[in-house]
Amino acid sequence: MRIGRLTLAAASLLLMAPASVPAGTPLSQTERHALSSDAFEPRGAAPRPPVQRPEHEPPFGAFVGSWDKYIPQIGKYAQWLGNANMQVGHTYLAGNGWADIEGEPVVLGMWSQWRLADPSRLLVLGVPMLVPNEAHVPDGEVARLLGQGARGDFDGHFLRLARRLVALGGADTVITLGWEMNGVTYTHRCKPDPSAWKAYWRRIVGVMRSVPGQRFRFDFAPNRGLDAVPWTKCYPGDDVVDIIGMDSYDQPAGSTFDDYVREPYGLQDQVEFAARRGKPVSYPEWGLFRNGDNPEFVRRMVDWMRTHDTAYQTVTDYCPHGFFQCRSNPRSTAAFRQLMSGSPGAPVVVPTAPPAPIAPVAPSAPTAPTRPGPPVLPGATASPSAGASPSPSATGTPSRR
């Protein structure tokens, strides 16, 4: 699953996400399908949509830190890559309290101004759905909170966020709402009550789209693979999702890139799921992890993103995942620089008109709370580099905030 995010009180701490599956013990495809009640159709059982694209450069960037003080790092990163056109700025809201979800005006304003300085730029903002978002809240309480959200109890917080973004110049921000919902790291996880989770997502999107002048796009971004729950069980509907993302780190240990493509709920399933709905894909978080300094993963991941309908990609750049802010991956760093140096970037698709409003959907009766995931194994944490944020779990991605 993905990682959490930097907390407001300690923006430099990297929290390691709880693991849904012990590190180094990947499930076989048969085992993964056995755990799922709605596995994808077996390969070849149904017509498969075309997903390949001619090689191209999607808009790219890096997560270098959540707060406004990290914005200058983007320019330094671009210089390090031979003045590459790093078009995507990626940041997150903290999730300690509802004031965090409403957005700190100074921080939102600085990031929005960075975006407005160049029309080819794109701002991607991770928005938690519940608070506190990294506090090991029990499943029963999560289910209760999801029900409250689906009924509209938290509408005002998202309305304030939307109004602030529009007023500050971030009207076309891409929102990775409730990222890594199929895992166990965040309070905004889906497994305790998928029906309420979907209804709550729909409600948030409806509230934020109600603000005049907005042109937000909403990115549904689970962890790659089968984490705590198949991400298809959490998908809230084509009318409230604009991009189908996936956080993809090099894990579990011993796995290959081909495993990541073929695994149930993996990269191939993602691009086919999106193609059937006429939607692009994204990779808001990707990077190295449990297989160490692995240039083959870097080369294959960049090639994958360049040959599919990728709206944008942002590498997680702090140890152990990245390159510019981490000296622990010299071979992968050399491969990344070779691939990305001098990149001219790509046209960014910015919507010119807001989507049609959608009606919230009331959730069905809540399901019984599920058991929490297994405890974090010894040694399943990583020390952050300076200014770090996220760090992945055994099956998905890192944690930031």
Side-chain angles (χ1 to χ4, degrees):
M1 60 176 293
R2 217 203 111 348
I3 31 186
R5 86 193 27 282
L6 291 176
T7 63
L8 190 61
S12 64
L13 285 181
L14 168 61
L15 300 178
M16 186 61 93
S20 300
V21 180
T25 58
L27 294 175
S28 70
Q29 291 195 14
T30 300
E31 289 170 325
R32 286 177 181 269
H33 275 296
L35 287 172
S36 168
S37 62
D38 71 339
F40 281 92
E41 290 290 327
R43 299 288 181 213
R48 296 170 64 181
V51 295
Q52 291 291 114
R53 297 287 185 274
E55 185 167 340
H56 62 285
E57 186 70 81
F60 82 99
F63 174 77
V64 293
S66 286
W67 315 119
D68 54 303
K69 69 179 182 180
Y70 292 109
I71 294 175
Q73 285 292 89
I74 300 175
K76 295 176 183 178
Y77 204 134
Q79 291 179 351
W80 180 73
L81 286 178
N83 293 316
N85 186 12
M86 293 186 68
Q87 299 166 272
V88 187
H90 188 182
T91 189
Y92 296 81
L93 298 180
N96 301 307
W98 286 113
D100 295 339
I101 306 302
E102 295 172 6
E104 167 56 48
V106 171
V107 175
L108 290 182
M110 292 291 287
W111 279 100
S112 296
Q113 289 304 305
W114 173 87
R115 152 69 187 96
L116 291 173
D118 186 335
S120 75
R121 288 176 177 172
L122 181 70
L123 177 60
V124 178
L125 179 66
V127 176
M129 295 169 67
L130 292 173
V131 301
N133 199 36
E134 293 185 51
H136 307 290
V137 176
D139 279 5
E141 177 65 6
V142 170
R144 187 186 70 79
L145 290 169
L146 290 173
Q148 281 188 263
R151 291 190 297 272
D153 290 5
F154 310 133
D155 286 3
H157 306 297
F158 295 95
L159 184 62
R160 292 186 190 96
L161 170 62
R163 287 173 173 167
R164 282 179 178 172
L165 282 170
V166 171
L168 293 167
D172 59 4
T173 298
V174 172
I175 308 290
T176 52
L177 180 64
W179 72 95
E180 295 185 8
M181 76 299 295
N182 60 325
V184 298
T185 302
Y186 302 110
T187 306
H188 64 220
R189 60 192 182 270
C190 167
K191 185 178 180 181
D193 192 335
S195 176
W197 192 94
K198 290 184 285 189
Y200 184 28
W201 168 292
R202 295 183 63 83
R203 183 150 200 126
I204 293 170
V205 172
V207 166
M208 294 188 71
R209 284 184 179 171
S210 73
V211 174
Q214 66 79 32
R215 291 172 289 153
F216 303 129
R217 283 182 290 167
F218 291 87
D219 190 340
F220 174 82
N223 289 318
R224 191 196 69 240
L226 176 64
D227 204 319
V229 62
W231 50 261
T232 52
K233 284 185 175 290
C234 310
Y235 187 69
D238 293 344
D239 58 332
V240 290
V241 172
D242 301 290
I243 302 169
I244 296 175
M246 183 163 281
D247 289 354
S248 180
Y249 290 86
D250 186 18
Q251 62 175 355
S255 292
T256 67
F257 194 84
D258 288 332
D259 295 328
Y260 306 151
V261 172
R262 295 189 299 249
E263 68 181 324
Y265 310 101
L267 294 173
Q268 187 66 31
D269 282 337
Q270 175 210 14
V271 295
E272 292 185 10
F273 187 88
R276 290 189 180 99
R277 289 158 174 79
K279 299 184 185 296
V281 297
S282 72
Y283 301 93
E285 292 185 33
W286 71 275
L288 304 170
F289 195 30
R290 298 193 185 276
N291 291 300
D293 187 5
N294 185 0
E296 177 66 9
F297 172 81
V298 175
R299 285 190 287 266
R300 294 287 302 276
M301 191 70 198
V302 170
D303 178 71
W304 179 271
M305 294 183 292
R306 285 175 169 170
T307 55
H308 290 82
D309 187 14
T310 304
Y312 71 91
Q313 60 102 339
T314 46
V315 65
T316 298
D317 202 274
Y318 59 84
C319 284
H321 317 298
F323 315 111
F324 176 59
Q325 298 185 137
C326 181
R327 298 181 179 179
S328 302
N329 305 308
R331 295 184 303 134
S332 297
T333 296
F336 183 76
R337 292 188 79 180
Q338 181 182 32
L339 290 163
M340 306 305 298
S341 285
S343 169
V348 172
V349 178
V350 177
T352 56
I358 57 98
V361 175
S364 58
T367 56
T370 53
R371 292 179 178 275
V376 179
L377 300 176
T381 58
S383 299
S385 61
S389 266
S391 149
S393 79
T395 57
T397 3
S399 159
R400 28 186 110 296
R401 287 39 70 204

